[in-house]
Amino acid sequence: MTLTNSFGGQPFMAPNDLFADAKGGIYFTDPGPRPVVPGRKTFVYYLAPGAKEPIVVDDQFGRPNGLILTADGRTLLVNDSLVAPFYAYDVEPNGSVKNKRTFATLRDIDAGKESGADGMAIDTAGRVYVASVPGVQVFDAKGEYLGTIKTPRQSSNVAFAGADRSTLYITAREGLYRIKTQAQGVKRDAGK
């Protein structure tokens, strides 16, 4: 079943990551295909439950990629695979956002190189895990850098799983890894 396939009569370019909120709405990124075309608009959207067309959350990114809501659903985090900073927004009751600000900045990104920022996960302490070129970078709930889980290949996505949600799975270029953690991923009940 197709929920939506266009905005303003134009088809999406190449939707990438998505995240469902507790109401059943969906935030998703549309960074467009590679290679990046300078000046081409890219988008972060929100599709409200039952809506046929999304609203634009933000169109001021080079290549929006990973996104996630905090455990309380009040803050949306979005990263850009071209640059090191990633952003937080306050979520409004209708799914729109306001107050865009830098949440944190990825580390160990060579000058002039892409950050590779991609999928994200959050644990019950509010720590944010971000897939990137050097590995999975971890930040506390205030955006302070805590460290990097190194991976043999560039990481592309992360998720907590398992019976107790304390195994962190990491997808990477031509590989899948897992690591047992003391942290526990947030339990989500989307659409309820």
PDB file of all heavy atoms in Angstrom, residues 103-128:
ATOM      1  N   PHE A 103      22.457  20.180  17.434  1.00  0.00           N
ATOM      2  CA  PHE A 103      22.412  19.305  18.607  1.00  0.00           C
ATOM      3  C   PHE A 103      23.821  18.862  18.979  1.00  0.00           C
ATOM      4  O   PHE A 103      24.205  18.861  20.138  1.00  0.00           O
ATOM      5  CB  PHE A 103      21.522  18.088  18.334  1.00  0.00           C
ATOM      6  CG  PHE A 103      21.523  17.090  19.461  1.00  0.00           C
ATOM      7  CD1 PHE A 103      20.801  17.337  20.618  1.00  0.00           C
ATOM      8  CD2 PHE A 103      22.252  15.914  19.374  1.00  0.00           C
ATOM      9  CE1 PHE A 103      20.808  16.432  21.671  1.00  0.00           C
ATOM     10  CE2 PHE A 103      22.269  15.003  20.413  1.00  0.00           C
ATOM     11  CZ  PHE A 103      21.546  15.257  21.567  1.00  0.00           C
ATOM     12  N   ALA A 104      24.599  18.462  17.968  1.00  0.00           N
ATOM     13  CA  ALA A 104      25.963  17.975  18.203  1.00  0.00           C
ATOM     14  C   ALA A 104      26.732  18.024  16.883  1.00  0.00           C
ATOM     15  O   ALA A 104      26.148  18.260  15.827  1.00  0.00           O
ATOM     16  CB  ALA A 104      25.928  16.551  18.754  1.00  0.00           C
ATOM     17  N   THR A 105      28.019  17.773  16.982  1.00  0.00           N
ATOM     18  CA  THR A 105      28.873  17.740  15.797  1.00  0.00           C
ATOM     19  C   THR A 105      29.669  16.445  15.807  1.00  0.00           C
ATOM     20  O   THR A 105      30.320  16.116  16.809  1.00  0.00           O
ATOM     21  CB  THR A 105      29.825  18.957  15.772  1.00  0.00           C
ATOM     22  OG1 THR A 105      29.023  20.149  15.759  1.00  0.00           O
ATOM     23  CG2 THR A 105      30.713  18.935  14.534  1.00  0.00           C
ATOM     24  N   LEU A 106      29.600  15.705  14.704  1.00  0.00           N
ATOM     25  CA  LEU A 106      30.347  14.456  14.582  1.00  0.00           C
ATOM     26  C   LEU A 106      31.845  14.734  14.637  1.00  0.00           C
ATOM     27  O   LEU A 106      32.307  15.790  14.207  1.00  0.00           O
ATOM     28  CB  LEU A 106      29.982  13.751  13.277  1.00  0.00           C
ATOM     29  CG  LEU A 106      28.523  13.294  13.182  1.00  0.00           C
ATOM     30  CD1 LEU A 106      28.192  12.849  11.767  1.00  0.00           C
ATOM     31  CD2 LEU A 106      28.234  12.184  14.173  1.00  0.00           C
ATOM     32  N   ARG A 107      32.599  13.779  15.143  1.00  0.00           N
ATOM     33  CA  ARG A 107      34.046  13.909  15.316  1.00  0.00           C
ATOM     34  C   ARG A 107      34.794  13.115  14.257  1.00  0.00           C
ATOM     35  O   ARG A 107      34.250  12.232  13.614  1.00  0.00           O
ATOM     36  CB  ARG A 107      34.457  13.382  16.702  1.00  0.00           C
ATOM     37  CG  ARG A 107      33.753  14.054  17.852  1.00  0.00           C
ATOM     38  CD  ARG A 107      34.156  15.531  17.936  1.00  0.00           C
ATOM     39  NE  ARG A 107      33.458  16.207  19.002  1.00  0.00           N
ATOM     40  CZ  ARG A 107      33.933  16.394  20.220  1.00  0.00           C
ATOM     41  NH1 ARG A 107      35.110  15.928  20.538  1.00  0.00           N
ATOM     42  NH2 ARG A 107      33.218  17.032  21.115  1.00  0.00           N
ATOM     43  N   ASP A 108      36.078  13.429  14.146  1.00  0.00           N
ATOM     44  CA  ASP A 108      37.024  12.678  13.297  1.00  0.00           C
ATOM     45  C   ASP A 108      36.594  12.612  11.840  1.00  0.00           C
ATOM     46  O   ASP A 108      36.784  11.590  11.170  1.00  0.00           O
ATOM     47  CB  ASP A 108      37.244  11.267  13.863  1.00  0.00           C
ATOM     48  CG  ASP A 108      37.768  11.303  15.290  1.00  0.00           C
ATOM     49  OD1 ASP A 108      38.621  12.164  15.576  1.00  0.00           O
ATOM     50  OD2 ASP A 108      37.312  10.490  16.119  1.00  0.00           O
ATOM     51  N   ILE A 109      36.017  13.718  11.351  1.00  0.00           N
ATOM     52  CA  ILE A 109      35.657  13.825   9.937  1.00  0.00           C
ATOM     53  C   ILE A 109      36.739  14.679   9.276  1.00  0.00           C
ATOM     54  O   ILE A 109      36.979  15.804   9.690  1.00  0.00           O
ATOM     55  CB  ILE A 109      34.272  14.494   9.752  1.00  0.00           C
ATOM     56  CG1 ILE A 109      33.188  13.772  10.571  1.00  0.00           C
ATOM     57  CG2 ILE A 109      33.908  14.577   8.275  1.00  0.00           C
ATOM     58  CD1 ILE A 109      32.970  12.325  10.237  1.00  0.00           C
ATOM     59  N   ASP A 110      37.417  14.134   8.285  1.00  0.00           N
ATOM     60  CA  ASP A 110      38.490  14.867   7.609  1.00  0.00           C
ATOM     61  C   ASP A 110      37.944  16.116   6.936  1.00  0.00           C
ATOM     62  O   ASP A 110      36.854  16.090   6.342  1.00  0.00           O
ATOM     63  CB  ASP A 110      39.174  13.984   6.567  1.00  0.00           C
ATOM     64  CG  ASP A 110      39.932  12.816   7.195  1.00  0.00           C
ATOM     65  OD1 ASP A 110      40.332  12.930   8.379  1.00  0.00           O
ATOM     66  OD2 ASP A 110      40.123  11.792   6.502  1.00  0.00           O
ATOM     67  N   ALA A 111      38.689  17.205   7.024  1.00  0.00           N
ATOM     68  CA  ALA A 111      38.290  18.478   6.414  1.00  0.00           C
ATOM     69  C   ALA A 111      37.983  18.276   4.934  1.00  0.00           C
ATOM     70  O   ALA A 111      38.741  17.617   4.219  1.00  0.00           O
ATOM     71  CB  ALA A 111      39.386  19.518   6.592  1.00  0.00           C
ATOM     72  N   GLY A 112      36.844  18.803   4.511  1.00  0.00           N
ATOM     73  CA  GLY A 112      36.452  18.706   3.112  1.00  0.00           C
ATOM     74  C   GLY A 112      35.843  17.376   2.715  1.00  0.00           C
ATOM     75  O   GLY A 112      35.474  17.187   1.560  1.00  0.00           O
ATOM     76  N   LYS A 113      35.725  16.447   3.651  1.00  0.00           N
ATOM     77  CA  LYS A 113      35.151  15.129   3.366  1.00  0.00           C
ATOM     78  C   LYS A 113      33.727  15.037   3.918  1.00  0.00           C
ATOM     79  O   LYS A 113      33.358  15.734   4.856  1.00  0.00           O
ATOM     80  CB  LYS A 113      35.991  14.015   4.000  1.00  0.00           C
ATOM     81  CG  LYS A 113      37.415  13.965   3.505  1.00  0.00           C
ATOM     82  CD  LYS A 113      37.478  13.484   2.083  1.00  0.00           C
ATOM     83  CE  LYS A 113      38.936  13.324   1.657  1.00  0.00           C
ATOM     84  NZ  LYS A 113      39.072  12.887   0.297  1.00  0.00           N
ATOM     85  N   GLU A 114      32.941  14.141   3.341  1.00  0.00           N
ATOM     86  CA  GLU A 114      31.583  13.918   3.830  1.00  0.00           C
ATOM     87  C   GLU A 114      31.615  13.213   5.180  1.00  0.00           C
ATOM     88  O   GLU A 114      32.477  12.366   5.424  1.00  0.00           O
ATOM     89  CB  GLU A 114      30.794  13.080   2.831  1.00  0.00           C
ATOM     90  CG  GLU A 114      30.550  13.783   1.513  1.00  0.00           C
ATOM     91  CD  GLU A 114      29.698  12.985   0.552  1.00  0.00           C
ATOM     92  OE1 GLU A 114      29.154  11.932   0.947  1.00  0.00           O
ATOM     93  OE2 GLU A 114      29.570  13.425  -0.605  1.00  0.00           O
ATOM     94  N   SER A 115      30.652  13.540   6.038  1.00  0.00           N
ATOM     95  CA  SER A 115      30.561  12.903   7.356  1.00  0.00           C
ATOM     96  C   SER A 115      30.044  11.475   7.256  1.00  0.00           C
ATOM     97  O   SER A 115      30.310  10.647   8.122  1.00  0.00           O
ATOM     98  CB  SER A 115      29.641  13.702   8.270  1.00  0.00           C
ATOM     99  OG  SER A 115      28.299  13.637   7.799  1.00  0.00           O
ATOM    100  N   GLY A 116      29.256  11.201   6.211  1.00  0.00           N
ATOM    101  CA  GLY A 116      28.629   9.894   6.095  1.00  0.00           C
ATOM    102  C   GLY A 116      27.551   9.681   7.136  1.00  0.00           C
ATOM    103  O   GLY A 116      27.110   8.552   7.348  1.00  0.00           O
ATOM    104  N   ALA A 117      27.111  10.766   7.798  1.00  0.00           N
ATOM    105  CA  ALA A 117      26.074  10.637   8.828  1.00  0.00           C
ATOM    106  C   ALA A 117      24.870   9.902   8.245  1.00  0.00           C
ATOM    107  O   ALA A 117      24.429  10.192   7.140  1.00  0.00           O
ATOM    108  CB  ALA A 117      25.664  12.019   9.340  1.00  0.00           C
ATOM    109  N   ASP A 118      24.365   8.940   9.009  1.00  0.00           N
ATOM    110  CA  ASP A 118      23.306   8.083   8.487  1.00  0.00           C
ATOM    111  C   ASP A 118      22.361   7.719   9.628  1.00  0.00           C
ATOM    112  O   ASP A 118      21.995   8.582  10.408  1.00  0.00           O
ATOM    113  CB  ASP A 118      23.936   6.861   7.811  1.00  0.00           C
ATOM    114  CG  ASP A 118      23.083   6.276   6.704  1.00  0.00           C
ATOM    115  OD1 ASP A 118      21.848   6.358   6.780  1.00  0.00           O
ATOM    116  OD2 ASP A 118      23.648   5.716   5.751  1.00  0.00           O
ATOM    117  N   GLY A 119      21.993   6.464   9.749  1.00  0.00           N
ATOM    118  CA  GLY A 119      20.991   6.048  10.712  1.00  0.00           C
ATOM    119  C   GLY A 119      21.344   6.363  12.150  1.00  0.00           C
ATOM    120  O   GLY A 119      22.515   6.495  12.509  1.00  0.00           O
ATOM    121  N   MET A 120      20.303   6.484  12.995  1.00  0.00           N
ATOM    122  CA  MET A 120      20.483   6.823  14.403  1.00  0.00           C
ATOM    123  C   MET A 120      19.636   5.922  15.297  1.00  0.00           C
ATOM    124  O   MET A 120      18.613   5.401  14.856  1.00  0.00           O
ATOM    125  CB  MET A 120      20.087   8.281  14.652  1.00  0.00           C
ATOM    126  CG  MET A 120      21.005   9.278  13.982  1.00  0.00           C
ATOM    127  SD  MET A 120      20.731  10.977  14.539  1.00  0.00           S
ATOM    128  CE  MET A 120      19.391  11.471  13.477  1.00  0.00           C
ATOM    129  N   ALA A 121      20.079   5.782  16.540  1.00  0.00           N
ATOM    130  CA  ALA A 121      19.329   5.057  17.570  1.00  0.00           C
ATOM    131  C   ALA A 121      19.442   5.840  18.866  1.00  0.00           C
ATOM    132  O   ALA A 121      20.346   6.673  19.024  1.00  0.00           O
ATOM    133  CB  ALA A 121      19.891   3.640  17.754  1.00  0.00           C
ATOM    134  N   ILE A 122      18.532   5.590  19.798  1.00  0.00           N
ATOM    135  CA  ILE A 122      18.546   6.248  21.105  1.00  0.00           C
ATOM    136  C   ILE A 122      18.344   5.192  22.180  1.00  0.00           C
ATOM    137  O   ILE A 122      17.540   4.269  22.007  1.00  0.00           O
ATOM    138  CB  ILE A 122      17.440   7.323  21.195  1.00  0.00           C
ATOM    139  CG1 ILE A 122      17.792   8.500  20.284  1.00  0.00           C
ATOM    140  CG2 ILE A 122      17.238   7.801  22.622  1.00  0.00           C
ATOM    141  CD1 ILE A 122      16.816   9.659  20.335  1.00  0.00           C
ATOM    142  N   ASP A 123      19.089   5.337  23.293  1.00  0.00           N
ATOM    143  CA  ASP A 123      18.893   4.407  24.409  1.00  0.00           C
ATOM    144  C   ASP A 123      18.036   5.062  25.496  1.00  0.00           C
ATOM    145  O   ASP A 123      17.652   6.231  25.388  1.00  0.00           O
ATOM    146  CB  ASP A 123      20.231   3.868  24.934  1.00  0.00           C
ATOM    147  CG  ASP A 123      21.095   4.894  25.641  1.00  0.00           C
ATOM    148  OD1 ASP A 123      20.571   5.916  26.136  1.00  0.00           O
ATOM    149  OD2 ASP A 123      22.320   4.672  25.721  1.00  0.00           O
ATOM    150  N   THR A 124      17.733   4.291  26.536  1.00  0.00           N
ATOM    151  CA  THR A 124      16.827   4.766  27.580  1.00  0.00           C
ATOM    152  C   THR A 124      17.405   5.918  28.401  1.00  0.00           C
ATOM    153  O   THR A 124      16.661   6.620  29.082  1.00  0.00           O
ATOM    154  CB  THR A 124      16.425   3.619  28.528  1.00  0.00           C
ATOM    155  OG1 THR A 124      17.623   3.024  29.050  1.00  0.00           O
ATOM    156  CG2 THR A 124      15.594   2.572  27.794  1.00  0.00           C
ATOM    157  N   ALA A 125      18.717   6.141  28.340  1.00  0.00           N
ATOM    158  CA  ALA A 125      19.344   7.272  29.026  1.00  0.00           C
ATOM    159  C   ALA A 125      19.377   8.513  28.129  1.00  0.00           C
ATOM    160  O   ALA A 125      19.909   9.539  28.528  1.00  0.00           O
ATOM    161  CB  ALA A 125      20.750   6.909  29.480  1.00  0.00           C
ATOM    162  N   GLY A 126      18.818   8.402  26.917  1.00  0.00           N
ATOM    163  CA  GLY A 126      18.801   9.538  25.998  1.00  0.00           C
ATOM    164  C   GLY A 126      20.057   9.685  25.166  1.00  0.00           C
ATOM    165  O   GLY A 126      20.192  10.656  24.425  1.00  0.00           O
ATOM    166  N   ARG A 127      20.977   8.725  25.263  1.00  0.00           N
ATOM    167  CA  ARG A 127      22.183   8.783  24.433  1.00  0.00           C
ATOM    168  C   ARG A 127      21.808   8.515  22.982  1.00  0.00           C
ATOM    169  O   ARG A 127      20.967   7.662  22.695  1.00  0.00           O
ATOM    170  CB  ARG A 127      23.224   7.771  24.917  1.00  0.00           C
ATOM    171  CG  ARG A 127      23.863   8.164  26.247  1.00  0.00           C
ATOM    172  CD  ARG A 127      24.867   7.118  26.705  1.00  0.00           C
ATOM    173  NE  ARG A 127      24.176   5.903  27.089  1.00  0.00           N
ATOM    174  CZ  ARG A 127      24.012   5.494  28.347  1.00  0.00           C
ATOM    175  NH1 ARG A 127      24.484   6.209  29.352  1.00  0.00           N
ATOM    176  NH2 ARG A 127      23.377   4.370  28.598  1.00  0.00           N
ATOM    177  N   VAL A 128      22.465   9.244  22.080  1.00  0.00           N
ATOM    178  CA  VAL A 128      22.182   9.160  20.648  1.00  0.00           C
ATOM    179  C   VAL A 128      23.354   8.471  19.962  1.00  0.00           C
ATOM    180  O   VAL A 128      24.513   8.859  20.155  1.00  0.00           O
ATOM    181  CB  VAL A 128      21.955  10.560  20.051  1.00  0.00           C
ATOM    182  CG1 VAL A 128      21.657  10.472  18.570  1.00  0.00           C
ATOM    183  CG2 VAL A 128      20.836  11.282  20.789  1.00  0.00           C
TER     184      VAL A 128
END
